[in-house]
């Protein structure tokens, strides 16, 4: 269980690192991105492990990756290029 938690934390760090390099201009501070990635992965691992029970290492890591990616996607801001002029009220 400890190795599963460490693996999911590393997976969250890798996803956060990839997000910061791919979407650096659309994300908030790096510390927030990295902590969100790790927290999302640990929470996803916990939920998947609780639902499936012990002995499900690979599905737990998959659940960790899904929840971490979903958590990181909530941090992405719209790009500046897509903002248009708003219509007058």
């Amino acid at each position: 269980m400890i190795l599963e938690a460490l693996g999911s934390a590393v997976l969250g760090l890798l996803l956060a690192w990839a997000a910061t390099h791919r979407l650096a201009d659309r994300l908030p501070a790096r510390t927030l991105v990295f902590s969100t990635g790790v927290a999302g992965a640990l929470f996803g691992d916990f939920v998947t492990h609780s639902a499936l029970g012990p002995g499900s290492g690979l599905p737990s890591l998959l659940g960790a990756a899904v929840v971490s990616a979903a958590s990181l996607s909530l941090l992405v801001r719209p790009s500046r290029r897509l903002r248009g002029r708003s219509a007058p009220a």
Side-chain angles (χ1 to χ4, degrees):
M1 174 105 176
I2 300 267
L3 291 176
E4 189 176 320
L6 285 173
S8 65
V10 169
L11 184 63
L13 279 174
L14 288 174
L15 286 171
W17 177 79
T20 56
H21 281 295
R22 177 87 169 105
L23 304 166
D25 57 332
R26 297 175 61 188
L27 289 170
R30 292 181 76 151
T31 55
L32 179 65
V33 174
F34 281 110
S35 62
T36 301
V38 172
L42 288 174
F43 182 68
D45 182 38
F46 170 72
V47 169
T48 310
H49 184 81
S50 297
L52 298 178
S56 58
L58 189 59
S60 291
L61 289 178
L62 181 63
V66 167
V67 174
S68 179
S71 299
L72 289 170
S73 74
L74 294 174
L75 296 176
V76 178
R77 296 180 290 218
S79 72
R80 297 183 199 277
R81 293 177 293 173
L82 296 178
R83 290 187 187 167
R85 297 180 63 195
S86 62

